Amino acid sequence: MSPGSGHPLAYPLTVTIGALAVCAAWAPFGTLDQVAAIAAVVLGVVGYTGYRLAVAVGLVRLRRSSSPGTVRVTRVRQQHRLTSRSWLQLGGAGRPRWLPVYFDPVLVSLTETEVECSDRTIHIAGRRLYPCGRIREAEPPGRLIDNPSRPDNDACAHTAAAIRLRRRLLLDAQSIVAAPFAALLWVYIDGGGLPAFLAATTIAAAITTWLSAIRGSDPT
């Protein structure tokens, strides 16, 4: 499953492997305490990634209803601070709900449609969408941008540019501005000088980028 395969989980898995590789690269040069800290980070990355993947591939329970499971689905793009995510707004007989999903190119041209969710998964245009969190009863925080009521003729070209690995990494790496400050705190606590600062900065940058990717960032 490569980043260019178009699978929604390919990109977050690639970033996860990259973050683990950065941790592994610095481990041989660290002291016992530093290696223990890196091991704790690795365990956290592996554990949280496993949890997110379990949510993504597990059964998604939308609602209990007397209807056969048909819901109206619209895509909403959320911008909150430095994060951008795709949500599916699920409408039915009651109040709408919001489900975060990993980005898929099919979302860009998605207009309001009705889908059958009898198997407790969501398929749109023949593709399965993978949730990256729990269904919310309340509207997600931040600025919410609805998809156009009609598909954009240039949607394919815009999507092709947006899903490039380099662009996605640059967008998810916005939070690395905090990495040097986290590294300074680590050097203050554990010492180690410039080598420890460089290692901590690199690891913190990789982890913040990974966290954005595994939570389901939207490159559009």
Side-chain angles (χ1 to χ4, degrees):
M1 189 187 299
S2 64
S5 66
H7 196 284
L9 300 180
Y11 172 72
L13 284 176
T14 300
V15 178
T16 299
I17 294 172
L20 295 175
V22 170
C23 293
W26 281 109
F29 304 101
T31 64
L32 185 60
D33 289 342
Q34 291 168 350
V35 172
I38 293 175
V41 170
V42 169
L43 287 176
V45 170
V46 172
Y48 191 64
T49 300
Y51 166 75
R52 286 290 180 177
L53 293 180
V55 171
V57 302
L59 299 178
V60 180
R61 195 180 296 271
L62 297 179
R63 64 168 68 240
R64 295 184 180 274
S65 172
S66 58
S67 67
T70 300
V71 295
R72 293 193 311 275
V73 176
T74 55
R75 181 243 186 165
V76 177
R77 183 163 57 89
Q78 175 201 29
Q79 289 183 335
H80 182 53
R81 296 172 183 159
L82 293 179
T83 63
S84 178
R85 303 174 78 188
S86 277
W87 295 72
L88 296 181
Q89 183 175 314
L90 309 172
R95 297 179 58 187
R97 294 183 178 186
W98 288 267
L99 175 68
V101 292
Y102 286 103
F103 178 77
D104 188 296
V106 74
L107 293 171
V108 176
S109 57
L110 178 64
T111 57
E112 182 174 343
T113 184
E114 290 190 353
V115 296
E116 176 66 42
C117 301
S118 58
D119 59 352
R120 292 183 291 182
T121 59
I122 297 179
H123 292 81
I124 295 178
R127 294 179 64 90
R128 179 180 176 179
L129 299 182
Y130 294 86
C132 57
R134 296 180 179 274
I135 293 178
R136 289 176 58 101
E137 299 282 350
E139 186 176 282
R143 181 168 165 237
L144 303 180
I145 304 172
D146 294 330
N147 262 20
S149 57
R150 295 181 180 180
D152 185 357
N153 294 331
D154 298 326
C156 292
H158 294 161
T159 303
I163 62 176
R164 292 174 181 168
L165 179 61
R166 185 176 181 180
R167 171 184 166 83
R168 297 196 70 172
L169 287 174
L170 287 174
L171 291 175
D172 287 341
Q174 295 180 78
S175 299
I176 68 173
V177 293
F181 300 99
L184 285 174
L185 179 61
W186 171 255
V187 172
Y188 175 77
I189 295 174
D190 188 66
L194 182 60
F197 174 77
L198 293 176
T201 299
T202 307
I203 292 174
I207 296 306
T208 54
T209 304
W210 158 81
L211 189 59
S212 296
I214 202 63
R215 293 184 68 247
S217 59
D218 186 320
T220 59

